[in-house]
Each structure stands twice: as structure tokens, then as C-alpha cells.
Amino acid sequence: MRSSALLAVVVFGAAVAVSATSHKSCPLDGLEIEGLPSSIPPSQLPLSFVSAAIGTQNYTCSPSNNYTLVGAVAELYDISCLGKSTLFTSVQDWLFGMWVDAPADLTSQALVSSYTLTRGSAVLGDHYFVPNPSGKPGNSPKWDFTSTGAFKGNKDAFVTVEKFAGSAAPTGPEDIDWVATNGIDGSLSAQVYRTDTREGQPPSSCQHGSSPDIQVKYGSKYWFYGSKLQH
Ligand SMILES: *[C@@H]1O[C@H](CO)[C@@H](O)[C@H](O)[C@H]1NC(C)=O
Ligand SMILES: *[C@@H]1O[C@H](CO)[C@@H](O)[C@H](O)[C@H]1NC(C)=O
């Protein structure tokens, strides 16, 4: 592990440990997305949760010999207690640095549970894909807070979404798009935004029939607006 990443774990772990002893999360006042591209309208709804995530974007090689997204898996951490600080601004960089340096066979869940990082209530939940709940073809992104963290056991604490706006990442083509989505199922939130993306892009081409499915590591922030859950 790079020493910068290790330092980041220690600092972030300390910040989270403080918050975990006294709060489930911290006030979200004044927290807003920095540098939102103009093609993505800002949410008009109140911010309900804010998180940083690490995980993988999964791709399969299409008949056009390029990679298409088939799903993603990620772990989310509550970053509300980092407040308006430089730690809040750069959290996706530390998390992603740790994740990139981790052994290839380590899952994001295992990585996280091996550090003090997520002790207490800092884990918000999981992100993965499910069949489209409206019956349309393909899979839909879902965020699920039902099995860990403050909403463990609350069966409504999830949201499945449809994208309504997106933009290339302001940081460059190696980072996956920033996107804005509307909830179509679940009470976790009415909208989810993905910002501050780090990597996650597939190679530009592949050989249909011989290139294996791939998982590409990424990091991001996820912002949840207009939750119907009591919190
Ligand atoms: C893959 O290639 C096809 C045909 O050129 C194109 O229509 C499609 O947008 C490409 N998909 C991606 C994910 O780049
Ligand atoms: C995506 O990859 C992860 C490994 O990072 C795996 O656990 C998961 O099942 C995959 N999901 C899909 C939909 O491909």
C-alpha cells in the first residue's frame, strides 16, 4: 500500500470513529456537489445522504467488439461527518488509492472490514444491479441500505433508478461519467447522483467470443436526495 493511502486510512478512520461513537450521521447543511457539469441539472430536493464508494464496473465484450456495461458492485460509506472540509473533497481519492493497491482477490467489502475505516455506523450500504423493476429489458442500478448500517432490517431502505442526465467526467476520459438518476422503486431516495468518479472505464476494444468479462475498479461519490425514510 502506498504510504499516502495508508495515511488516508488512518485519518479517515479517525474521523469516522469519532462520528460512529456519537452519531448515525452528521448534518448535511451546506454540502453540495462541486463542479457539476452544466448538462446535469442540480437536484431541487433536500440532500438525505452522502457517501463515497469503491467497487467495480463490470463489462462484457459485445458483438461490436467493444465492452458494454453489465453491472456494478460497490460499498458505500457515510461521509457526512467529514463536513465541509478538504477531507470531504478528497475522500474518493484516498478510498480509491487503497482499493487500487489492494490484492486483486480482495473484495471491496473485505478491504473495508479489514480496517477501522467502517467501524460503527459508517457503512451506509451496497450498490449492485437488478433486473429492471418496470419489466423493461436490461438491468438497473440499485442502492441497498437494508442489510447494514443505520437502516439494517428496514425493507424499504433501497432505491432502484433510471438515468435522466449524464456527462463525461470533468477529470478526464479515464473516469466514468457523472450521472443523475430518478428513483423508480424503493423509499431510500427520489434521486441519486454519481459524481467525483475515479477510473472504472473499460479498454476501448475487445474480441467478441474470446475476451473474458472484466471487472474494472472505480471510486465515486453518491448523493441521495429526497428520502422518504425517517433519519
Ligand atoms: C460499441 O460499438 C457500437 C457499434 O460501433 C456502437 O454503436 C456502441 O455505441 C459502442 N458501445 C460502446 C459502449 O462504446
Ligand atoms: C460484478 O463483479 C463483481 C466482482 O467485482 C461480482 O461480485 C458481481 O457479481 C458482478 N456482477 C455483475 C452483474 O456482473
Side-chain angles (χ1 to χ4, degrees), residues 156-170:
D156 300 320
F158 74 93
V159 61
T160 308
V161 303
E162 244 164 34
K163 177 174 142 183
F164 70 87
S167 169

Side-chain angles (χ1 to χ4, degrees), residues 57 72-76 125-129 141-144 218 222:
Q57 298 280 312
V73 176
E75 287 286 289
L76 273 65
D126 308 306
H127 172 46
Y128 51 92
F129 277 53
K142 176 174 175 176
W143 288 266
D144 183 345
Y218 83 106
Y222 288 111

